[in-house]
């Protein structure tokens, strides 16, 4: 696991920017990816699953290069792209890359393809108990639950800040 850098891109064009970066990057040095969350919704009596970017407007890069070498290479790519806007953290070198704790936190929620899958659980009184999925044992990170949309909002560390992200959580039952 190398250094993770984050690009700010046009929202809705994360996958396009990711594909663009992967064409330009040397596969042995760096790979771009978009962390995604599985979203569950009901569509005319059918339950559908869809993947949405976990961090809309951002593309992550896992690179073996140090900050200086990666920045030099990254700025060359901005000239060729209409959807890449900025490399995050360039104003503060301390937040140029994700810390090891931030990487471990995100990898704990995602599978090998950087997708956060659905979690299932139940509520007893005011306590949430998650029985399956990436939220097992991480109930304390949940800040808000929308049972109708089958989603939970969690707080995740991100470049020295706390961001709220939405992940799939189906509450099977609620006991008072």
């Amino acid at each position: 696991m190398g250094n993770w850098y984050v690009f700010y891109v046009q929202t809705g064009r994360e996958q396009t920017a990711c594909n663009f970066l992967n064409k330009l990057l040397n596969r042995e040095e760096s790979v771009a990816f978009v962390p995604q969350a599985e979203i569950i919704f009901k569509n005319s009596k059918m339950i559908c699953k869809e993947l949405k970017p976990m961090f809309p407007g951002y593309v992550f890069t896992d690179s073996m290069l140090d900050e200086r070498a990666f920045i030099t290479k990254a700025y060359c790519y901005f000239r060729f792209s209409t959807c890449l806007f900025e490399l995050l953290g360039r104003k503060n070198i301390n937040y140029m890359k994700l810390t090891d704790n931030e990487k471990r936190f995100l990898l704990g929620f995602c599978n090998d393809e950087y997708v956060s899958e659905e979690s299932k659980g139940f509520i007893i009184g005011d306590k949430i108990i998650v029985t399956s999925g990436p939220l097992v044992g991480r109930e304390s990170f949940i800040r808000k639950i929308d049972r109708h949309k089958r989603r939970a909002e969690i707080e995740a560390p991100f470049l020295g800040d706390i961001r709220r992200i939405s992940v799939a959580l189906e509450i099977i039952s609620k006991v008072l």
Side-chain angles (χ1 to χ4, degrees):
M1 181 165 58
N3 298 321
W4 282 17
Y5 302 98
V6 183
F7 285 95
Y8 176 57
V9 301
Q10 187 176 355
T11 304
R13 299 199 53 203
E14 295 89 358
Q15 200 57 51
T16 304
C18 181
N19 294 340
F20 172 78
L21 283 169
N22 279 328
K23 284 180 187 173
L24 293 176
L25 294 170
N26 181 352
R27 281 283 200 195
E28 287 80 41
E29 291 177 352
S30 306
V31 70
F33 62 94
V34 178
Q36 296 181 323
E38 195 174 65
I39 301 298
I40 291 131
F41 59 95
K42 201 170 188 179
N43 186 4
S44 65
K45 299 182 184 178
M46 290 179 53
I47 295 176
C48 301
K49 292 183 181 183
E50 187 177 290
L51 294 178
K52 298 260 185 183
M54 194 180 290
F55 297 94
Y58 298 103
V59 173
F60 290 64
T61 307
D62 188 356
S63 178
M64 301 311 285
L65 300 173
D66 67 345
E67 286 97 345
R68 194 169 300 274
F70 187 81
I71 293 167
T72 305
K73 213 171 213 187
Y75 282 113
C76 295
Y77 301 147
F78 287 120
R79 293 181 294 176
F80 303 114
S81 175
T82 57
C83 55
L84 289 176
F85 293 143
E86 185 177 3
L87 180 64
L88 292 188
R90 69 182 171 103
K91 293 179 179 97
N92 186 345
I93 198 72
N94 295 328
Y95 299 115
M96 181 59 71
K97 60 183 180 178
L98 268 68
T99 64
D100 289 337
N101 288 338
E102 292 170 334
K103 286 189 281 188
R104 271 194 299 277
F105 185 86
L106 286 175
L107 286 173
F109 280 98
C110 298
N111 62 18
D112 294 340
E113 296 167 355
Y114 304 107
V115 175
S116 175
E117 297 171 333
E118 175 188 22
S119 295
K120 293 185 181 192
F122 53 93
I123 299 175
I124 298 178
D126 289 343
K127 190 172 180 177
I128 303 164
I129 299 170
V130 180
T131 57
S132 68
L135 286 174
V136 171
R138 295 187 173 109
E139 292 88 349
S140 62
F141 294 113
I142 298 172
R143 295 293 169 245
K144 182 179 169 184
I145 292 178
D146 187 338
R147 291 182 60 204
H148 179 70
K149 290 184 179 179
R150 298 178 179 165
R151 293 188 189 144
E153 239 180 53
I154 62 169
E155 288 185 344
F158 184 71
L159 292 171
D161 197 11
I162 299 293
R163 299 281 172 102
R164 284 199 172 199
I165 56 176
S166 183
V167 294
L169 173 64
E170 184 174 0
I171 300 296
I172 306 298
S173 67
K174 183 176 180 177
V175 180
L176 297 176

